Amino acid sequence: MPATHRIDEEQSLIITEWQGDATDDELIQVCRYYLSRVKSRYPGFNELVDLRNATSLKVSMSGLIDIGRIAASADDGIGERKLALLIRSGKAFSLARAYIFYRNMCRSNSKQIETFQVPEEAYAWLGS
């Protein structure tokens, strides 16, 4: 699997790191696995998704919409939670902004979502 997940219980944070290519199918598969096997065990935790080591992004707009729909449908409404997307610049930034736009349009979205290029800034925002 191109994504690994680790839990920082002290900071109430789930950290996902991506390695290799990122395609619609892989992202959707990882999202479903993550929601059913990881996120479901840690409700209320903030999340960090680190895509800086993705070697290529082959993601379509319809794929982003599908991922956003799947993720938003699993939002549990437990308080104000945050999702930080840690990315490099360029195409990843544009895709992340499109994803955030779509998630914010979903009625069931209960997360604040931001993009970052500097890990320390992402961790600071998640902890605030």
Side-chain angles (χ1 to χ4, degrees), residues 13-71:
L13 183 63
I14 303 170
I15 302 162
T16 299
E17 296 174 328
W18 194 277
Q19 301 287 327
D21 293 343
T23 65
D24 288 345
D25 290 339
E26 286 177 321
L27 287 166
I28 290 169
Q29 181 181 6
V30 166
C31 183
R32 286 187 172 135
Y33 173 87
Y34 170 78
L35 293 172
S36 67
R37 306 256 171 98
V38 180
K39 181 65 181 159
S40 63
R41 295 174 55 202
Y42 300 94
F45 276 38
N46 286 328
E47 301 159 86
L48 173 78
V49 177
D50 186 346
L51 294 165
R52 293 174 300 158
N53 291 322
T55 52
S56 71
L57 295 169
K58 299 172 185 162
V59 182
S60 68
M61 192 54 68
S62 65
L64 281 180
I65 290 170
D66 287 345
I67 295 162
R69 185 178 306 122
I70 293 165

Side-chain angles (χ1 to χ4, degrees), residues 84-100:
L85 302 173
L86 191 53
I87 57 168
R88 291 182 291 191
S89 60
K91 183 179 181 182
F93 181 79
S94 299
L95 289 170
R97 297 308 301 167
Y99 176 77
I100 291 170

